[in-house]
């Protein structure tokens, strides 16, 4: 886990819920062809880092509460990563960068942001850099944070009302701490 002095938890439960829907369409037992698992579609590397950080011997990515816990932990870790956590930057920009890193990978996103900065793009106060992301990652941020995909928004809005997803919705919307 990130140990920066100015570590803060700022990724909202609603962003995490939208992200879980984007990742798995609220299917807790899904595993994709690359091996990413559960609601949060986490991989073995993240699971191992999480277990080590939390001192856990086991972890079940298919359990709704555990999926929420690891997703929150990993998004907070990304949000506070040294290549994302910069002074005088809006929470929205930081969240966009954390989402990009979650989707595209920490290393790729870090290199991308460095290259954008070298080109003179304001990566701290603007979202212009989003346009240069790979199509999938740009769409990921647009759907989850910026809510720019009307089809996704309609589907999400209708699915969160379904009784079969009540446990997921309650888990993600509960107050932490």
């Amino acid at each position: 886990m990130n140990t920066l002095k100015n570590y803060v938890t700022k990724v909202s439960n609603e962003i995490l819920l939208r992200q879980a829907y984007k990742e798995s369409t609220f299917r807790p037992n899904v595993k994709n062809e690359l091996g990413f698992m559960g609601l949060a579609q986490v991989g073995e590397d993240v699971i191992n880092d999480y277990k080590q950080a939390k001192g856990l011997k086991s972890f079940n990515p298919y359990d709704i509460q555990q999926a929420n816990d690891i997703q929150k932990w990993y998004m907070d870790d990304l949000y506070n990563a040294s290549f994302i956590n910069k002074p005088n930057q809006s929470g929205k920009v930081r969240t966009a960068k954390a989402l990009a890193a979650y989707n595209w990978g920490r290393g790729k996103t870090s290199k991308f942001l460095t290259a954008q900065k070298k080109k003179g793009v304001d990566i701290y106060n603007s979202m212009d850099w989003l346009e240069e992301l790979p199509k999938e990652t740009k769409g990921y941020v647009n759907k989850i944070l910026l809510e720019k995909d009307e089809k996704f928004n309609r589907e999400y809005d209708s699915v969160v009302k379904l009784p079969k997803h009540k446990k997921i919705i309650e888990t993600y919307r509960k107050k932490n701490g």
Side-chain angles (χ1 to χ4, degrees):
M1 183 83 151
N2 200 310
T3 57
L4 294 173
K5 282 185 181 177
N6 56 348
Y7 184 92
V8 292
T9 301
K10 290 287 184 178
V11 181
S12 75
N13 290 348
E14 196 61 30
I15 293 295
L16 294 172
L17 184 61
R18 288 179 68 86
Q19 183 182 30
Y21 179 69
K22 173 64 181 120
E23 288 289 346
S24 64
T25 56
F26 293 157
R27 294 175 295 150
N29 296 318
V30 70
K31 183 174 183 176
N32 76 14
E33 65 280 353
L34 298 175
F36 294 93
M37 302 167 273
L39 286 172
Q41 288 293 281
V42 291
E44 288 294 336
D45 290 346
V46 172
I47 291 170
N48 289 334
D49 290 347
Y50 179 72
K51 284 171 33 181
Q52 182 178 1
K54 297 293 185 176
L56 301 173
K57 291 190 187 324
S58 66
F59 176 80
N60 179 2
Y62 303 110
D63 176 85
I64 294 168
Q65 183 61 60
Q66 290 183 54
N68 176 251
D69 292 345
I70 196 170
Q71 180 187 1
K72 176 111 180 107
W73 172 84
Y74 190 49
M75 280 297 292
D76 286 347
D77 191 56
L78 290 169
Y79 187 87
N80 287 284
S82 61
F83 73 97
I84 291 176
N85 181 5
K86 302 296 183 187
N88 304 317
Q89 175 176 228
S90 78
K92 191 171 190 175
V93 170
R94 272 175 81 179
T95 301
K97 290 175 182 178
L99 285 166
Y102 192 103
N103 177 260
W104 194 27
R106 186 183 291 256
K108 290 177 191 171
T109 304
S110 177
K111 288 176 188 170
F112 167 80
L113 291 170
T114 299
Q116 290 295 300
K117 185 178 175 185
K118 285 180 182 175
K119 287 183 186 177
V121 176
D122 182 356
I123 62 169
Y124 304 114
N125 301 302
S126 118
M127 297 278 211
D128 294 345
W129 53 271
L130 279 173
E131 294 304 314
E132 301 301 320
L133 284 171
K135 183 179 178 179
E136 178 188 331
T137 303
K138 178 182 167 186
Y140 189 82
V141 175
N142 281 330
K143 287 174 182 169
I144 296 167
L145 177 65
L146 304 178
E147 300 182 26
K148 287 187 173 182
D149 186 308
E150 289 304 317
K151 181 181 178 209
F152 179 85
N153 292 339
R154 279 192 308 276
E155 289 172 359
Y156 172 81
D157 289 342
S158 66
V159 167
V160 294
K161 296 174 186 170
L162 296 176
K164 72 179 184 176
H165 298 306
K166 183 178 180 183
K167 183 177 180 183
I168 293 169
I169 306 309
E170 287 176 349
T171 299
Y172 274 78
R173 287 189 171 157
K174 76 176 182 211
K175 298 288 182 202
N176 294 328

